[in-house]
Amino acid sequence: MNKKYFKQSMVTLLMAGLFTGPLMAEAKNLTGVVLDDKGAPIANAEVHLRALNKKVVTDDNGKFTFEALDEGRYVLDIEAAKIGHINQSVRHDGSPLSLTVTHDNAKTIVVTGNPLEHSSLEMASPAVVIAGDQLVKNRGTNIGETLAEVPGINLSSFGVGAGRPVIRGQQGNRVTVLSNNTSTQDASNASPDHWIAAEPLLAKRIEVLKGPATLLYGGGAVGGAVNVVDNKIPTETPDGIDGGLEVRLGDSATGERSVVGTLTSAVELDSGSLAFHIDAFDSKTDPIEIPGFAESLRLRELEEAEGEAGHGEEEHEEGFGVLENSDTDTQGGNIGFSYITDNGYWGLSYTKFDRNYGLPGHAHEEEEEMHGAGEEEHGEETIRLDLEQKRWDLKGQWNNPFEGFQNLKMSFVNTDYQHQELEGEEIGTTFINDANELRLELVHEAWSGWQGAFGLQYSDGDFAAIGDEGFIPMSNTKKLGLFWLEERDLGNWHTELGLRFDRQELDAGSFGSRDDTAFSFAAGLVWHIDGNWSLPMNFARAQRLPQVEELLSNAGNSEDNYVPHLATLTIDVGNPNLDKETANNLDIGLRYHTDNLHASVAVFHNRVNDFIYQELLEEDHAADPDHEHELPILQFAQQDAVFEGVEAEIDWVFAEMDSGYWKAGLFGDYTHAEFDNPTGAYIPRQPAKRFGASLGFERGDFSANLKAIKVAKQDKLAHEELATDGYDLLNLDLGYNLYFDNAEALLFLRGQNLLDEEIRDHASFLKDRAPRAGRSITAGIRVLF
């Protein structure tokens, strides 16, 4: 299809949508009933028509009425206390509506990562919510592993201990991970071997914003954002005592032993209630079992061809069947309280994480590179990370603070983060990140039909890397972001607009300082073609400012005394001349949604001007006098790049019976990323295309789901990158729900990689040294009361 014809087609499509609908609309009462997931009516639920600044409350039978509304499309926002909060588009023709509120319907529950709190179906940019039983069954040992099977999201693993999500081919400094809408403030952006300080075991919901989320969260979200939502600061008063207990046990392939408990209660006061929350967890895994060698065949052949010492048959045998030094040991918890009234809430919480985990694929490298030792010393030292984070959260919401405003939200976070990289018994490097962050969101009511929010985000962080691997200088970074969002529903059209200004002050002492600014904007439309079909379109121009590790790695050092980055087995060199990145992202999709069928497809094109990447220098290697081998020098550089791709999924409930039904699903995703230059070189560590299918069955309290995923070989390679073989992943989930007078339980069993395939994630720095686990079984129980 030529460009002229494509433009004409889009104009025709848009004009058709603008004039869709009746010319005259008759005023009728909009009536309905609000039900829970068991079909029981919900009393005292608040039903909002935000666009008209109208609110009603359901009666004892769950019924509500808005009087004298013109026929047409409306968006209802329903808040039902602890039962759930949904946002749903409806067609008003005078017929009574039936709306179901649950806490785990991913298509209708609100995305709290957006200040205007819409469901994913009402947003112009793609969003995903994982909650309820789906989250329990899919929990991994890190956030990246938990999200790895979501369309458009891949895993960049670093063994079991650390794993980052890759959203549409982007990761690291371009994908931000949040805890209740605020930054995790860890050291995960400094290196891929660093754990993201957000624990899946404590999450009650995980939200993913695909594509640029820069307007809301700054340049670190230019590729997307992941928001891990928990209940450490209660926002609703519980009825009596609410709590839960979850236990997970894995077979010998992972050796997982995890337990997490939560408890929430409240004391009624004359002016409101004082709610308390406490949770704690303990999780351990053993070195994982793998179906073959730890090192890939291509890496072993390359090492043999280059005649590397220390990689003989005996060592390869030691690396067969088990991924050494891949165990994890994590403990942590939260304690918090909040004062809750009809006017909002104010709360405070304290969080502490301790995590110790190994870096597989580094022990023998450390020995031979740092000491030049013989075979008898191989494997005597391992590299482990010992992490501790202490975090204070202050969070509040003031409802109806001023005339014309819906609410004011505030979050303040103080974080004390430290981890030590242990080389055997010795401390090699200590990473420290002490940071404060303030976030304010002022949401206004509909002004001439426009709803919106004003926001401020400010952070002040001190970062240091002290010791043998201290190649990033100590620095202080201050960031200020101001943003403004507006949206309007008019007939079949939902319109979104937004602006953001960012300023960053970086002070690295004797290595200099710099003051940078960035400006981003976005415009989106959702055309609701009818009650089932919608067409979202979104354009974003998002800017990202370079960070300290990109600017100043190995600053002040020369090739003779560069400090190696042993986690990635490279030497990283910063570039103080880097400019800001500018991403121009166009996203167009098509969605279809009914009670029994949901389907969506999205196509995106993201041109990034001055894309920051690590360039392999022509001189290739730097020699350290104590190293037996040389490491490649990677210097941060910039050139234009293009990311484009497609993702699609369909979920279908069929063959419904009195006590059960079957369901089937298909999905696929593909990202193509290359530099925009005559050579068309590929961007490193890009995930391969995937196709998946699932078949599920639910009967009464029993559920089963079988999922198969075909991952293609990745042979679109950057310079000196090794190809990664494809694989077939087969998983099986079984669940059984039990209900008691005042409690409910979920028994679950999950089999992963049932075909015992060798799985390597091409997006991982360790893909050729650390595969995923082989066939594994995890059993568990979750009890809620």
Side-chain angles (χ1 to χ4, degrees), residues 132-162:
D133 292 353
Q134 181 188 9
L135 175 58
V136 172
K137 296 174 183 177
N138 287 323
R139 290 195 214 271
T141 57
N142 54 66
I143 290 297
E145 188 177 307
T146 302
L147 299 173
E149 295 177 16
V150 176
I153 306 176
N154 295 87
L155 172 64
S156 174
S157 61
F158 214 93
V160 179

Side-chain angles (χ1 to χ4, degrees), residues 1-270:
M1 180 184 293
N2 60 51
K3 293 182 179 180
K4 180 178 179 181
Y5 179 76
F6 177 76
K7 291 179 179 179
Q8 291 175 342
S9 300
M10 289 302 297
V11 170
T12 302
L13 185 65
L14 294 177
M15 293 300 292
L18 286 173
F19 294 101
T20 298
L23 297 178
M24 298 293 292
E26 181 182 353
K28 297 179 180 178
N29 289 348
L30 190 160
T31 62
V33 60
V34 178
L35 308 172
D36 64 18
D37 57 357
K38 296 180 176 62
I42 301 175
N44 300 316
E46 295 183 354
V47 184
H48 297 265
L49 274 173
R50 302 286 189 192
L52 300 178
N53 295 328
K54 293 180 179 292
K55 181 185 83 170
V56 297
V57 178
T58 59
D59 62 20
D60 292 340
N61 296 314
K63 295 181 179 180
F64 66 91
T65 299
F66 288 99
E67 296 183 349
L69 294 182
D70 292 338
E71 293 184 6
R73 174 184 164 271
Y74 294 91
V75 178
L76 298 180
D77 189 83
I78 304 174
E79 297 180 78
K82 58 178 291 185
I83 299 176
H85 182 186
I86 70 169
N87 185 267
Q88 189 167 343
S89 173
V90 299
R91 294 278 170 173
H92 169 46
D93 60 6
S95 302
L97 303 172
S98 179
L99 303 168
T100 301
V101 177
T102 69
H103 65 279
D104 59 358
N105 186 332
K107 306 306 178 187
T108 59
I109 61 176
V110 299
V111 179
T112 60
N114 184 323
L116 302 180
E117 295 190 338
H118 287 308
S119 70
S120 60
L121 291 174
E122 299 301 315
M123 297 173 59
S125 55
V128 176
V129 180
I130 301 175
D133 292 353
Q134 181 188 9
L135 175 58
V136 172
K137 296 174 183 177
N138 287 323
R139 290 195 214 271
T141 57
N142 54 66
I143 290 297
E145 188 177 307
T146 302
L147 299 173
E149 295 177 16
V150 176
I153 306 176
N154 295 87
L155 172 64
S156 174
S157 61
F158 214 93
V160 179
R164 295 192 63 90
V166 181
I167 300 179
R168 294 179 168 182
Q170 305 213 38
Q171 58 175 303
N173 278 322
R174 297 177 182 87
V175 174
T176 191
V177 178
L178 309 164
S179 174
N180 299 304
N181 298 359
T182 56
S183 302
T184 54
Q185 300 289 10
D186 47 37
S188 59
N189 282 340
S191 178
D193 63 311
H194 298 171
W195 181 61
I196 297 174
E199 176 53 53
L201 282 173
L202 298 179
K204 68 176 184 180
R205 183 168 70 246
I206 299 178
E207 305 167 347
V208 182
L209 306 178
K210 299 180 187 178
T214 313
L215 292 183
L216 299 173
Y217 300 108
V222 71
V226 176
N227 187 28
V228 182
V229 181
D230 57 36
N231 194 42
K232 60 188 172 188
I233 295 180
T235 60
E236 300 286 348
T237 302
D239 296 330
I241 298 176
D242 290 344
L245 178 68
E246 182 176 330
V247 178
R248 308 171 68 91
L249 296 174
D251 65 359
S252 61
T254 63
E256 180 182 2
R257 291 95 66 201
S258 299
V259 59
V260 56
T262 66
L263 189 67
T264 306
S265 187
V267 176
E268 294 295 334
L269 305 175
D270 292 340

Side-chain angles (χ1 to χ4, degrees), residues 537-550:
M537 297 165 281
N538 191 65
F539 173 77
R541 180 186 184 272
Q543 292 190 321
R544 184 181 79 87
L545 300 172
Q547 302 302 296
V548 61
E549 59 271 13
E550 298 166 324

Side-chain angles (χ1 to χ4, degrees), residues 66 74 106 473 475 610 638 658 689:
F66 288 99
Y74 294 91
S475 62
D610 297 318
Q638 288 183 292
D658 291 339
K689 60 177 175 286

